[in-house]
Amino acid sequence: MSNDKGLRDAPVKIGTKQTMRMVELGRAVEVYVAENADPRLTSKIIALCNERGVKVTLVDTMAALGKACGIEVGAAMAAIVKP
């Protein structure tokens, strides 16, 4: 990811449940989704983001997204939230 430092510095919610909640509450500004994550999960968040007008950015792998978020494990999705 090209802007991983910015992702670490931004207010971020990591994981499927937290990301879905932030989009549903209207607090998500942008959502990052790992392309190798379970399609049953990613299709739901992408559809919800399209419905709510939230920008979706695809990331190659869960490991890359986890690293960009500053955690040592993979992440299926993460949301940058309004402060």
Side-chain angles (χ1 to χ4, degrees):
M1 287 180 53
S2 59
N3 65 341
D4 60 352
K5 186 176 188 317
L7 188 55
R8 260 188 227 152
D9 295 341
V12 176
K13 295 293 183 182
I14 304 166
T16 304
K17 288 180 185 176
Q18 290 189 59
T19 300
M20 291 288 275
R21 185 157 188 244
M22 291 300 108
V23 174
E24 288 169 349
L25 292 174
R27 292 191 53 209
V29 176
E30 183 173 2
V31 171
Y32 291 85
V33 178
E35 291 181 341
N36 68 337
D38 186 339
R40 291 176 293 181
L41 300 175
T42 60
S43 62
K44 288 179 185 176
I45 192 68
I46 291 170
L48 184 61
C49 287
N50 289 337
E51 181 182 306
R52 302 285 173 103
V54 177
K55 180 181 176 185
V56 175
T57 302
L58 296 177
V59 181
D60 291 338
T61 65
M62 292 174 59
L65 182 55
K67 184 177 179 183
C69 292
I71 60 174
E72 294 182 16
V73 295
M77 58 191 73
I80 295 179
V81 296
K82 297 174 188 173

